[in-house]
Amino acid sequence: MNPIPVNEPLLNGNEKKYLLECIDTGWISSEGPFVKQFEEQLATRVGRKYGIAVSNGSVALDVAVAALGIGFEDEVILPTFTIISCASAIIRAGAIPVVVDCDPQTWNMDVSQIEAKITPRTKAIMVVHIYGLPVNMAAVLVLAEKYGLHIIEDAAEMHGQMYQGQPCGSFGAISTFSFYPNKHITTGEGGMVLTNDEKLADRCRSLRNLCFQPQKRFVHEELGWNFRMTNLQAAIGVAQLERLDEFVARKRHIGKRYTELLIDIPGLQLPLFQTDYAENIYWVYGLVVNDDVPFDAEYVMHRLSSYQIGIRPFFWCMHEQPVFQKMGLFKDVLCPVAQRIARRGFYIPSGMALTDEQMEQVARSIRDIFK
Ligand SMILES: Cc1ncc(COP(=O)(O)O)c(C=O)c1O
């Protein structure tokens, strides 16, 4: 059997042509024209006024938190079931992450738990759309309005996704994307911060660029970072963005086909096809092993790896991270739903270049394990 990678991007559009343009013109740094083009085109697609391209989706969150002025002892509410980038951006700003559990069906933050976590120190809700379905934004928008909180929308996994007809990445004060190669569109490494607020956009640009000052370049009033995206990365991004609709359709095909192939295997929870507010775009095709099955995700992943099938475990909860426990964070926090899916969940090859034959091979292997 040939190995099946967990993810393989499709780079057979204008990527090579635009990259050659960078080489031929000598524009390879962040000053090149593709960066602005990519920023403008993604912002337009998402319905935002400003896009600020950065080096990856993790630092996009650092910039977003810092730009909002979130700092010492402020609290930010986020899902425990997410990538560490979300919590680390909050902690690095000197603020305190406060987690909520997730929904057992969508795997997104359980929005019914947010209000009880709001205190006078709460400054923001960090919404993270997980694996292909958006968070139930209506409830979050009501709470943000009621308590005067910022929404930071981590749309890293949501290129092309809509929530009730409104693009993901267009909610709240500020939103972020990642363009790692497992995303719907990639730049190799890359990210973007988006907002409608001109002052916030200026602040993000400054933070991304070491807080150089326009008049006195090497005199700094504040500390920033070098989180700039290169023209080479943006060139790939522009080419990828041209195909976003096609890529979303491709992912939906993968989701549909896997569902047909796996639906009758007892003991496996499949991703929801849709909710009241969105249709799944299957950033990854996640599976959760039911409680009555006498093995967990680790066993299934081990077996699939032995068939050379690329797999990844689900996220590990923020409140169970050794690094945060050593910092004294999340004492006595329990999130049973997220703790369970972190142990019983994994995802299977879901990349853009995946073929129908490969999906059938993956499904046959899973069937073999569950028989
Ligand atoms: C929800 C979410 N946020 C942030 C990130 C971080 O993005 P990056 O890998 O580009 O740093 C990821 C990466 O997969 C993600 O899934």
Side-chain angles (χ1 to χ4, degrees):
M1 270 195 291
N2 291 326
I4 304 179
V6 71
N7 176 70
E8 203 182 332
L10 280 180
L11 299 166
N12 51 358
N14 283 321
E15 289 80 1
K16 207 185 270 180
K17 181 175 161 216
Y18 297 162
L19 276 175
L20 281 175
E21 228 173 282
C22 300
I23 309 268
D24 290 343
T25 59
W27 280 117
I28 58 170
S29 77
S30 58
E31 300 281 314
F34 279 118
V35 177
K36 221 179 192 51
Q37 197 180 329
F38 186 42
E39 289 176 337
E40 285 173 5
Q41 289 179 349
L42 188 73
T44 303
R45 172 73 199 226
V46 173
R48 289 284 208 191
K49 280 193 188 150
Y50 309 102
I52 301 96
V54 292
S55 9
N56 56 64
S58 301
V59 302
L61 288 164
D62 286 290
V63 169
V65 170
L68 288 171
I70 292 169
F72 185 61
E73 295 208 334
D74 291 336
E75 291 176 5
V76 179
I77 298 172
L78 77 162
T80 194
F81 188 70
T82 185
I83 192 160
I84 195 154
S85 319
C86 302
S88 66
I90 296 164
I91 292 166
R92 287 201 174 111
I96 301 163
V98 176
V99 293
V100 295
D101 205 348
C102 67
D103 177 273
Q105 299 301 321
T106 66
W107 309 324
N108 272 312
M109 69 198 298
D110 180 348
V111 293
S112 71
Q113 296 188 11
I114 296 175
E115 190 161 19
K117 306 274 176 170
I118 296 173
T119 75
R121 296 208 302 221
T122 309
K123 289 288 178 310
I125 304 168
M126 186 182 278
V127 165
V128 191
H129 309 295
I130 300 287
Y131 293 171
L133 281 169
V135 169
N136 184 356
M137 289 304 299
V140 181
L141 293 168
V142 168
L143 288 175
E145 175 78 27
K146 182 171 168 190
Y147 293 95
L149 306 176
H150 297 299
I151 293 175
I152 302 166
E153 186 193 2
D154 181 350
E157 306 172 1
M158 286 297 123
H159 317 78
Q161 178 59 296
M162 311 281 267
Y163 170 87
Q164 286 186 341
Q166 187 180 332
C168 288
S170 68
F171 291 91
I174 205 159
S175 53
T176 61
F177 281 91
S178 159
F179 309 114
Y180 188 71
N182 61 3
K183 302 302 187 301
H184 281 64
I185 59 169
T186 183
T187 59
E189 298 284 353
M192 202 170 306
V193 187
L194 294 122
T195 180
N196 288 331
D197 182 323
E198 193 179 356
K199 280 210 180 86
L200 212 47
D202 285 344
R203 210 168 141 61
C204 291
R205 281 189 206 101
S206 176
L207 286 164
R208 159 185 77 174
N209 196 23
L210 292 167
C211 293
F212 285 131
Q213 297 202 85
Q215 310 307 334
K216 292 186 173 178
R217 183 171 176 84
F218 295 112
V219 179
H220 300 264
E221 297 285 344
E222 274 188 277
L223 280 183
W225 298 275
N226 175 355
F227 285 162
R228 301 183 298 258
M229 175 184 274
T230 67
N231 203 45
L232 297 162
Q233 292 166 299
I236 297 177
V238 168
Q240 290 269 297
L241 194 51
E242 289 170 354
R243 301 177 68 187
L244 178 55
D245 291 332
E246 177 197 336
F247 288 162
V248 169
R250 171 100 206 101
K251 284 283 202 171
R252 287 203 165 121
H253 166 75
I254 292 172
K256 184 166 170 279
R257 187 71 192 118
Y258 265 142
T259 302
E260 287 164 359
L261 291 165
L262 301 170
I263 192 121
D264 64 336
I265 299 181
L268 261 186
Q269 179 190 339
L270 310 187
L272 288 184
F273 168 67
Q274 61 181 31
T275 60
D276 294 345
Y277 42 81
E279 201 185 313
N280 206 328
I281 56 163
Y282 301 100
W283 170 54
V284 292
Y285 197 90
L287 296 166
V288 177
V289 181
N290 287 350
D291 292 331
D292 56 2
V293 173
F295 47 77
D296 62 8
E298 206 154 319
Y299 172 80
V300 185
M301 289 190 289
H302 174 73
R303 290 281 306 275
L304 288 173
S305 297
S306 73
Y307 299 135
Q308 302 205 60
I309 291 172
I311 37 79
R312 289 281 183 281
F314 267 17
F315 290 131
W316 196 251
C317 300
M318 291 305 103
H319 70 280
E320 294 195 292
Q321 295 290 344
V323 62
F324 296 147
Q325 288 175 347
K326 278 183 251 170
M327 290 175 179
L329 289 163
F330 305 124
K331 281 203 186 94
D332 304 322
V333 171
L334 283 177
C335 296
V337 179
Q339 286 168 218
R340 173 181 171 269
I341 64 164
R343 286 159 178 79
R344 303 196 78 79
F346 64 100
Y347 65 84
I348 52 182
S350 315
M352 251 358 126
L354 192 69
T355 65
D356 283 18
E357 293 69 37
Q358 287 175 318
M359 281 187 264
E360 282 155 24
Q361 188 182 322
V362 172
R364 270 196 305 277
S365 304
I366 295 176
R367 197 172 287 281
D368 188 46
I369 297 165
F370 278 78
K371 72 175 183 247

Tab-separated table of all heavy atoms in Angstrom, residues 218-253:
chain	number	residue	atom	x	y	z
A	218	PHE	N	14.197	54.561	13.807
A	218	PHE	CA	14.858	53.710	14.801
A	218	PHE	C	14.664	54.186	16.239
A	218	PHE	O	15.364	53.762	17.139
A	218	PHE	CB	16.343	53.543	14.449
A	218	PHE	CG	16.527	52.783	13.148
A	218	PHE	CD1	17.026	53.416	12.017
A	218	PHE	CD2	16.163	51.449	13.059
A	218	PHE	CE1	17.155	52.722	10.824
A	218	PHE	CE2	16.288	50.751	11.866
A	218	PHE	CZ	16.785	51.391	10.744
A	219	VAL	N	13.664	55.053	16.431
A	219	VAL	CA	13.296	55.462	17.790
A	219	VAL	C	11.952	54.796	18.099
A	219	VAL	O	10.977	54.989	17.369
A	219	VAL	CB	13.167	57.002	17.889
A	219	VAL	CG1	12.753	57.401	19.303
A	219	VAL	CG2	14.468	57.668	17.492
A	220	HIS	N	11.922	53.998	19.159
A	220	HIS	CA	10.728	53.179	19.413
A	220	HIS	C	10.004	53.609	20.682
A	220	HIS	O	10.598	53.686	21.741
A	220	HIS	CB	11.134	51.700	19.531
A	220	HIS	CG	11.792	51.175	18.298
A	220	HIS	ND1	11.098	50.499	17.328
A	220	HIS	CD2	13.066	51.274	17.848
A	220	HIS	CE1	11.923	50.176	16.342
A	220	HIS	NE2	13.125	50.647	16.634
A	221	GLU	N	8.712	53.848	20.546
A	221	GLU	CA	7.873	54.174	21.703
A	221	GLU	C	7.311	52.896	22.326
A	221	GLU	O	6.882	52.870	23.462
A	221	GLU	CB	6.686	55.058	21.281
A	221	GLU	CG	7.086	56.421	20.724
A	221	GLU	CD	7.539	57.391	21.795
A	221	GLU	OE1	7.270	57.139	22.983
A	221	GLU	OE2	8.195	58.394	21.439
A	222	GLU	N	7.256	51.830	21.510
A	222	GLU	CA	6.652	50.565	21.952
A	222	GLU	C	7.439	49.392	21.393
A	222	GLU	O	8.141	49.546	20.385
A	222	GLU	CB	5.232	50.461	21.392
A	222	GLU	CG	4.178	51.121	22.232
A	222	GLU	CD	2.811	50.775	21.664
A	222	GLU	OE1	2.376	51.433	20.719
A	222	GLU	OE2	2.211	49.820	22.171
A	223	LEU	N	7.228	48.208	21.985
A	223	LEU	CA	7.877	47.008	21.461
A	223	LEU	C	6.944	46.281	20.494
A	223	LEU	O	5.784	46.047	20.801
A	223	LEU	CB	8.229	46.054	22.604
A	223	LEU	CG	9.486	46.364	23.403
A	223	LEU	CD1	9.705	45.276	24.436
A	223	LEU	CD2	10.707	46.482	22.487
A	224	GLY	N	7.476	45.965	19.350
A	224	GLY	CA	6.703	45.154	18.403
A	224	GLY	C	7.465	43.879	18.081
A	224	GLY	O	8.289	43.421	18.875
A	225	TRP	N	7.161	43.306	16.935
A	225	TRP	CA	7.851	42.091	16.486
A	225	TRP	C	8.164	42.231	14.995
A	225	TRP	O	7.521	43.042	14.310
A	225	TRP	CB	6.944	40.869	16.610
A	225	TRP	CG	6.473	40.494	17.957
A	225	TRP	CD1	7.137	39.720	18.870
A	225	TRP	CD2	5.191	40.804	18.553
A	225	TRP	NE1	6.352	39.532	19.984
A	225	TRP	CE2	5.159	40.181	19.827
A	225	TRP	CE3	4.083	41.530	18.149
A	225	TRP	CZ2	4.064	40.263	20.683
A	225	TRP	CZ3	2.986	41.621	19.002
A	225	TRP	CH2	2.986	41.008	20.257
A	226	ASN	N	9.071	41.405	14.500
A	226	ASN	CA	9.126	41.252	13.047
A	226	ASN	C	8.295	40.034	12.703
A	226	ASN	O	8.769	38.893	12.791
A	226	ASN	CB	10.571	41.084	12.553
A	226	ASN	CG	10.598	40.812	11.048
A	226	ASN	OD1	9.547	40.662	10.420
A	226	ASN	ND2	11.774	40.726	10.476
A	227	PHE	N	7.053	40.278	12.340
A	227	PHE	CA	6.127	39.201	11.941
A	227	PHE	C	5.715	39.389	10.477
A	227	PHE	O	4.615	39.055	10.081
A	227	PHE	CB	4.863	39.240	12.815
A	227	PHE	CG	5.048	38.725	14.228
A	227	PHE	CD1	4.115	39.062	15.205
A	227	PHE	CD2	6.098	37.899	14.583
A	227	PHE	CE1	4.238	38.591	16.509
A	227	PHE	CE2	6.232	37.422	15.885
A	227	PHE	CZ	5.299	37.767	16.852
A	228	ARG	N	6.614	39.992	9.666
A	228	ARG	CA	6.217	40.330	8.302
A	228	ARG	C	6.116	39.086	7.412
A	228	ARG	O	6.861	38.128	7.589
A	228	ARG	CB	7.237	41.311	7.701
A	228	ARG	CG	7.363	42.604	8.488
A	228	ARG	CD	8.325	43.574	7.823
A	228	ARG	NE	9.674	43.087	7.733
A	228	ARG	CZ	10.686	43.458	8.528
A	228	ARG	NH1	10.479	44.319	9.497
A	228	ARG	NH2	11.895	42.987	8.348
A	229	MET	N	5.199	39.144	6.441
A	229	MET	CA	5.088	38.078	5.440
A	229	MET	C	5.905	38.489	4.215
A	229	MET	O	5.898	39.656	3.834
A	229	MET	CB	3.622	37.889	5.035
A	229	MET	CG	3.424	36.889	3.909
A	229	MET	SD	1.707	36.773	3.356
A	229	MET	CE	1.084	35.572	4.502
A	230	THR	N	6.578	37.539	3.583
A	230	THR	CA	7.376	37.894	2.395
A	230	THR	C	6.490	37.941	1.147
A	230	THR	O	5.416	37.330	1.096
A	230	THR	CB	8.501	36.873	2.125
A	230	THR	OG1	7.897	35.637	1.745
A	230	THR	CG2	9.374	36.669	3.359
A	231	ASN	N	7.012	38.621	0.112
A	231	ASN	CA	6.311	38.676	-1.169
A	231	ASN	C	6.179	37.284	-1.781
A	231	ASN	O	5.196	36.986	-2.470
A	231	ASN	CB	7.087	39.606	-2.118
A	231	ASN	CG	6.215	40.167	-3.220
A	231	ASN	OD1	5.093	40.615	-2.972
A	231	ASN	ND2	6.698	40.137	-4.457
A	232	LEU	N	7.156	36.421	-1.505
A	232	LEU	CA	7.111	35.049	-2.038
A	232	LEU	C	5.910	34.297	-1.477
A	232	LEU	O	5.174	33.618	-2.203
A	232	LEU	CB	8.397	34.298	-1.652
A	232	LEU	CG	9.708	34.847	-2.202
A	232	LEU	CD1	10.893	34.302	-1.421
A	232	LEU	CD2	9.842	34.476	-3.670
A	233	GLN	N	5.712	34.450	-0.160
A	233	GLN	CA	4.563	33.770	0.478
A	233	GLN	C	3.256	34.345	-0.062
A	233	GLN	O	2.321	33.611	-0.384
A	233	GLN	CB	4.625	33.963	1.994
A	233	GLN	CG	5.770	33.237	2.658
A	233	GLN	CD	5.992	33.738	4.078
A	233	GLN	OE1	6.286	34.908	4.298
A	233	GLN	NE2	5.830	32.861	5.035
A	234	ALA	N	3.206	35.673	-0.146
A	234	ALA	CA	1.966	36.322	-0.595
A	234	ALA	C	1.645	35.964	-2.047
A	234	ALA	O	0.476	35.836	-2.422
A	234	ALA	CB	2.075	37.839	-0.426
A	235	ALA	N	2.696	35.766	-2.862
A	235	ALA	CA	2.480	35.380	-4.269
A	235	ALA	C	1.726	34.050	-4.319
A	235	ALA	O	0.769	33.883	-5.086
A	235	ALA	CB	3.822	35.259	-4.983
A	236	ILE	N	2.139	33.118	-3.463
A	236	ILE	CA	1.445	31.821	-3.415
A	236	ILE	C	0.023	32.041	-2.903
A	236	ILE	O	-0.938	31.456	-3.418
A	236	ILE	CB	2.218	30.827	-2.509
A	236	ILE	CG1	3.607	30.557	-3.089
A	236	ILE	CG2	1.445	29.520	-2.348
A	236	ILE	CD1	4.490	29.659	-2.245
A	237	GLY	N	-0.119	32.918	-1.914
A	237	GLY	CA	-1.438	33.199	-1.347
A	237	GLY	C	-2.417	33.752	-2.372
A	237	GLY	O	-3.580	33.341	-2.417
A	238	VAL	N	-1.929	34.658	-3.222
A	238	VAL	CA	-2.807	35.244	-4.253
A	238	VAL	C	-3.273	34.147	-5.208
A	238	VAL	O	-4.462	34.069	-5.557
A	238	VAL	CB	-2.062	36.385	-5.012
A	238	VAL	CG1	-2.829	36.810	-6.259
A	238	VAL	CG2	-1.835	37.573	-4.085
A	239	ALA	N	-2.346	33.274	-5.594
A	239	ALA	CA	-2.710	32.180	-6.507
A	239	ALA	C	-3.701	31.223	-5.844
A	239	ALA	O	-4.659	30.752	-6.473
A	239	ALA	CB	-1.450	31.434	-6.929
A	240	GLN	N	-3.498	30.954	-4.567
A	240	GLN	CA	-4.394	30.041	-3.845
A	240	GLN	C	-5.784	30.648	-3.692
A	240	GLN	O	-6.793	29.966	-3.854
A	240	GLN	CB	-3.801	29.745	-2.461
A	240	GLN	CG	-2.561	28.885	-2.496
A	240	GLN	CD	-2.895	27.408	-2.401
A	240	GLN	OE1	-3.431	26.959	-1.402
A	240	GLN	NE2	-2.604	26.666	-3.451
A	241	LEU	N	-5.820	31.932	-3.377
A	241	LEU	CA	-7.106	32.603	-3.149
A	241	LEU	C	-7.978	32.583	-4.409
A	241	LEU	O	-9.202	32.521	-4.323
A	241	LEU	CB	-6.838	34.044	-2.682
A	241	LEU	CG	-7.988	34.837	-2.084
A	241	LEU	CD1	-8.696	34.073	-0.978
A	241	LEU	CD2	-7.484	36.184	-1.546
A	242	GLU	N	-7.327	32.603	-5.573
A	242	GLU	CA	-8.080	32.528	-6.837
A	242	GLU	C	-8.915	31.249	-6.899
A	242	GLU	O	-9.894	31.167	-7.623
A	242	GLU	CB	-7.096	32.529	-8.032
A	242	GLU	CG	-6.420	33.861	-8.247
A	242	GLU	CD	-5.257	33.807	-9.270
A	242	GLU	OE1	-4.895	32.698	-9.730
A	242	GLU	OE2	-4.707	34.868	-9.578
A	243	ARG	N	-8.504	30.234	-6.136
A	243	ARG	CA	-9.170	28.922	-6.226
A	243	ARG	C	-9.956	28.557	-4.959
A	243	ARG	O	-10.320	27.398	-4.782
A	243	ARG	CB	-8.113	27.846	-6.496
A	243	ARG	CG	-7.354	28.098	-7.785
A	243	ARG	CD	-6.263	27.075	-8.001
A	243	ARG	NE	-6.782	25.747	-8.259
A	243	ARG	CZ	-6.011	24.650	-8.346
A	243	ARG	NH1	-4.712	24.744	-8.181
A	243	ARG	NH2	-6.550	23.468	-8.595
A	244	LEU	N	-10.197	29.553	-4.119
A	244	LEU	CA	-10.811	29.218	-2.833
A	244	LEU	C	-12.152	28.482	-2.983
A	244	LEU	O	-12.391	27.485	-2.300
A	244	LEU	CB	-10.971	30.484	-1.965
A	244	LEU	CG	-11.639	30.276	-0.604
A	244	LEU	CD1	-10.940	29.204	0.220
A	244	LEU	CD2	-11.679	31.590	0.192
A	245	ASP	N	-13.014	28.955	-3.881
A	245	ASP	CA	-14.327	28.290	-4.020
A	245	ASP	C	-14.156	26.832	-4.454
A	245	ASP	O	-14.838	25.938	-3.955
A	245	ASP	CB	-15.208	29.039	-5.025
A	245	ASP	CG	-15.629	30.393	-4.464
A	245	ASP	OD1	-15.718	30.526	-3.225
A	245	ASP	OD2	-15.839	31.325	-5.259
A	246	GLU	N	-13.226	26.647	-5.380
A	246	GLU	CA	-12.953	25.278	-5.853
A	246	GLU	C	-12.435	24.413	-4.691
A	246	GLU	O	-12.827	23.253	-4.538
A	246	GLU	CB	-11.885	25.395	-6.967
A	246	GLU	CG	-11.410	24.101	-7.546
A	246	GLU	CD	-10.090	24.284	-8.309
A	246	GLU	OE1	-9.787	25.408	-8.771
A	246	GLU	OE2	-9.359	23.302	-8.432
A	247	PHE	N	-11.579	25.007	-3.855
A	247	PHE	CA	-11.011	24.254	-2.732
A	247	PHE	C	-12.084	23.896	-1.694
A	247	PHE	O	-12.082	22.803	-1.136
A	247	PHE	CB	-9.870	25.038	-2.071
A	247	PHE	CG	-8.598	25.104	-2.901
A	247	PHE	CD1	-7.631	26.059	-2.641
A	247	PHE	CD2	-8.366	24.204	-3.936
A	247	PHE	CE1	-6.461	26.122	-3.387
A	247	PHE	CE2	-7.199	24.259	-4.693
A	247	PHE	CZ	-6.247	25.223	-4.412
A	248	VAL	N	-12.993	24.845	-1.449
A	248	VAL	CA	-14.070	24.558	-0.488
A	248	VAL	C	-14.938	23.411	-1.040
A	248	VAL	O	-15.298	22.476	-0.312
A	248	VAL	CB	-14.914	25.820	-0.197
A	248	VAL	CG1	-16.173	25.469	0.587
A	248	VAL	CG2	-14.083	26.853	0.576
A	249	ALA	N	-15.237	23.481	-2.344
A	249	ALA	CA	-16.054	22.424	-2.963
A	249	ALA	C	-15.326	21.078	-2.867
A	249	ALA	O	-15.932	20.040	-2.589
A	249	ALA	CB	-16.335	22.774	-4.419
A	250	ARG	N	-14.012	21.112	-3.063
A	250	ARG	CA	-13.206	19.884	-3.002
A	250	ARG	C	-13.269	19.272	-1.582
A	250	ARG	O	-13.461	18.081	-1.412
A	250	ARG	CB	-11.770	20.270	-3.403
A	250	ARG	CG	-10.721	19.280	-3.223
A	250	ARG	CD	-10.345	18.539	-4.530
A	250	ARG	NE	-9.795	17.221	-4.192
A	250	ARG	CZ	-10.461	16.083	-4.262
A	250	ARG	NH1	-11.691	16.039	-4.719
A	250	ARG	NH2	-9.907	14.948	-3.895
A	251	LYS	N	-13.137	20.152	-0.570
A	251	LYS	CA	-13.195	19.672	0.820
A	251	LYS	C	-14.578	19.108	1.135
A	251	LYS	O	-14.708	18.117	1.864
A	251	LYS	CB	-12.888	20.817	1.784
A	251	LYS	CG	-11.424	21.163	1.851
A	251	LYS	CD	-10.658	20.146	2.684
A	251	LYS	CE	-9.368	20.755	3.178
A	251	LYS	NZ	-8.678	19.920	4.139
A	252	ARG	N	-15.604	19.755	0.610
A	252	ARG	CA	-16.963	19.237	0.867
A	252	ARG	C	-17.145	17.886	0.193
A	252	ARG	O	-17.820	17.006	0.724
A	252	ARG	CB	-18.001	20.256	0.390
A	252	ARG	CG	-18.058	21.464	1.318
A	252	ARG	CD	-19.385	22.190	1.229
A	252	ARG	NE	-19.529	23.085	2.362
A	252	ARG	CZ	-19.702	24.411	2.277
A	252	ARG	NH1	-19.788	24.995	1.102
A	252	ARG	NH2	-19.818	25.141	3.372
A	253	HIS	N	-16.522	17.722	-0.954
A	253	HIS	CA	-16.602	16.415	-1.616
A	253	HIS	C	-15.919	15.351	-0.733
A	253	HIS	O	-16.452	14.263	-0.537
A	253	HIS	CB	-15.933	16.470	-2.994
A	253	HIS	CG	-15.687	15.111	-3.577
A	253	HIS	ND1	-16.712	14.343	-4.117
A	253	HIS	CD2	-14.558	14.342	-3.630
A	253	HIS	CE1	-16.217	13.169	-4.502
A	253	HIS	NE2	-14.919	13.144	-4.215
